[in-house]
């Protein structure tokens, strides 16, 4: 058996990416925006339900930043954010000089806890400020409790930004993730379900919002012959080369989702026989996860760390779960509402190698490490 490194989450190429890149070079469309960007948006619009409008940007982070701008978030506004997530969900709140208010996870989906969400909203209102937006995340591809979370948001009239960066291909009650929020976002970073090397989109329900997003993403140029600006602009549009990679990748979107889910069933077989570790899933026909990453909970932090080292010794990458935002030095001064669920998950949780490109040989090696560790 080879000893090549097995990474946590790599994409699978379709083989068409290079052709798109070469064509972009030949046609001299080597800039932000362009025909491949339009085609990529159209392909994604076809993939999502009717009435979804896609604006392609240079990252998922810029998509969240523009989503906050589109919702009119201003200096000093409060924005609720799921604490257990990647920092890119929360950083844009600070770009806007707004105040993040972090909310704990619940144990079924590991996502924003409806009870704590409502407590947080009530308490913030009582303290004098109604939160202006909620950022909810489908972590590791698992949909959050959409009905419960949106019912609360609707009751208080607060828009939701749906961070679907990890959840392309996931769905809730048969409807695709990314289409529930006032705005949804996706990421095409190299570790996601499909990649454009770096990229992201905003999903909205109207052509006007899509156009407004593109307006902000291309330096907010007013209609004029000369360059005229009456709003702050950003250089956030996706490049034509990246969109070309995306067009190649979209051909394997369904295959990639399939291999991620097959990885999950591979791990399920292994962990069926292991008592001291619990593979995360949420077997329930309303929640369809792409299983972007497979994760397990061990009994203690020490055990989690020694399994991580065992993988490392065999040249395989595994990683602790996202460290909750309210525990991060940059965010620890901001309000937090919860019962330490995210803390507990972070203490004992490990992400397992889950790329779309895992071969049978890779899987044999992974299985060997796990079986040997728990023996
Ligand atoms: C990857 C990711 C993002 C940001 O995406 P980039 O394209 O890397 O900027 C945002 N939120 C979550 C939960 C992510 O995993």
């Amino acid at each position: 058996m080879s000893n090549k490194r097995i990474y946590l989450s790599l994409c699978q190429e379709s083989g068409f990416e290079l052709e798109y890149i070469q064509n972009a070079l030949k046609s001299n469309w080597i800039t932000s925006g362009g025909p491949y960007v339009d085609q990529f948006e159209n392909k994604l619009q076809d993939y999502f339900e009717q009435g979804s409008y896609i604006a392609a940007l240079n990252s998922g982070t810029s998509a969240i930043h523009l989503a906050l701008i589109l919702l009119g978030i201003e200096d000093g506004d409060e924005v609720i954010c799921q604490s257990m997530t990647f920092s890119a969900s929360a950083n844009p709140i600070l770009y806007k000089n707004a105040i993040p208010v972090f909310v704990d996870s619940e144990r079924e989906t590991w996502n924003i806890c409806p009870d704590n969400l409502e407590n947080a909203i009530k308490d913030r209102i009582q303290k004098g400020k109604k939160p202006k937006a909620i950022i909810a995340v489908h972590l590791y591809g698992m949909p959050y409790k959409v009905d419960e979370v949106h019912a609360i948001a609707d009751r208080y009239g607060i828009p939701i930004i749906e961070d679907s960066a990890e959840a392309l291909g996931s769905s809730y009650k048969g409807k695709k993730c990314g289409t529930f929020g006032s705005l949804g976002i996706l990421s095409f970073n190299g570790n996601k379900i499909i990649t454009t090397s770096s990229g992201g989109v905003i999903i909205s329900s109207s052509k006007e919002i899509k156009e407004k997003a593109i307006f902000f993403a291309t330096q907010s140029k007013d209609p004029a012959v000369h360059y005229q600006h009456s709003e702050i602009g950003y250089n956030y549009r996706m490049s034509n080369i990246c969109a070309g990679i995306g067009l190649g990748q979209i051909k394997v979107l369904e295959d990639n989702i399939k291999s991620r889910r097959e990885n999950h069933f591979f791990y399920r077989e292994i962990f069926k026989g292991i008592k001291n570790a619990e593979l995360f899933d949420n077997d329930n026909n309303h929640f369809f996860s792409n299983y972007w990453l497979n994760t397990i909970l061990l009994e203690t932090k020490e055990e989690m760390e020694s399994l991580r080292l065992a993988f490392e010794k065999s040249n395989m990458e595994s990683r602790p779960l996202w460290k909750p935002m309210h525990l991060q030095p940059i965010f620890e001064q901001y309000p937090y509402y919860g019962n330490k669920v995210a803390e507990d998950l972070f203490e004992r949780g490990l992400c397992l190698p889950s790329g779309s490109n895992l071969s049978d040989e890779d899987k044999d090696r992974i299985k060997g490490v796990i079986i040997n560790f728990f023996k």
Side-chain angles (χ1 to χ4, degrees), residues 77-81 90 93-94 98-102 331 333-336:
D77 284 344
E78 295 193 353
V79 176
I80 290 181
C81 183
I93 302 171
L94 298 188
I99 297 162
V101 173
F102 293 109
F331 292 122
Q333 82 248 42
Y334 296 107
Y336 160 74

Side-chain angles (χ1 to χ4, degrees), residues 244-366:
I245 299 174
L247 285 170
Q249 281 278 292
I250 226 166
K251 295 182 194 287
V252 284
L253 172 56
E254 295 295 351
D255 290 344
N256 284 5
I257 296 165
K258 199 163 146 254
S259 4
R260 299 263 173 181
R261 286 182 50 84
E262 279 168 7
N263 292 341
H264 178 74
F265 293 104
F266 155 75
Y267 283 118
R268 205 180 269 202
E269 274 308 304
I270 301 177
F271 283 99
K272 230 167 40 189
I274 294 172
K275 279 200 293 300
N276 343 38
E278 193 188 325
L279 179 69
F280 173 56
D281 60 29
N282 180 26
D283 257 334
N284 174 322
N285 50 22
H286 290 161
F287 293 80
F288 182 88
S289 174
N290 61 16
Y291 289 112
W292 173 60
L293 292 188
N294 288 284
T295 56
I296 53 169
L297 286 182
L298 290 111
E299 287 173 336
T300 61
K301 185 183 175 69
E302 291 68 36
E303 245 179 82
M304 182 272 281
E305 181 57 12
S306 43
L307 177 55
R308 193 186 71 75
L309 292 173
F311 275 121
E312 203 49 55
K313 216 172 130 198
S314 299
N315 205 18
M316 298 174 201
E317 186 183 28
S318 65
R319 195 183 298 155
L321 304 188
W322 299 125
K323 180 174 178 177
M325 290 305 115
H326 72 279
L327 303 178
Q328 301 282 359
I330 181 83
F331 292 122
E332 66 192 4
Q333 82 248 42
Y334 296 107
Y336 160 74
Y337 295 82
N339 322 92
K340 295 191 186 290
V341 171
E343 265 109 320
D344 176 54
L345 298 174
F346 171 63
E347 279 273 308
R348 303 187 285 127
L350 191 68
C351 302
L352 305 174
S354 298
S356 316
N357 65 338
L358 291 183
S359 66
D360 289 343
E361 192 189 323
D362 293 343
K363 286 184 182 168
D364 285 343
R365 283 175 58 200
I366 293 167

Side-chain angles (χ1 to χ4, degrees), residues 29-34 37 58 217-218 235-241:
W29 271 104
I30 321 166
T31 182
S32 62
V37 177
N58 60 4
T218 52
N235 183 5
Y236 280 176
R237 190 70 163 136
M238 181 178 278
S239 95
N240 199 52
I241 304 266

Side-chain angles (χ1 to χ4, degrees), residues 58-62 64 85-86 88-89 137 139 163 165-166 185-189 191-192 198-200 292 322:
N58 60 4
S59 76
T61 309
S62 35
I64 296 173
T85 185
F86 178 47
S89 307
V137 189
L139 212 62
D163 182 343
E166 303 175 3
I185 73 100
L186 298 174
S187 163
F188 307 114
N189 189 13
N191 63 349
K192 298 288 160 56
S198 174
W292 173 60
W322 299 125

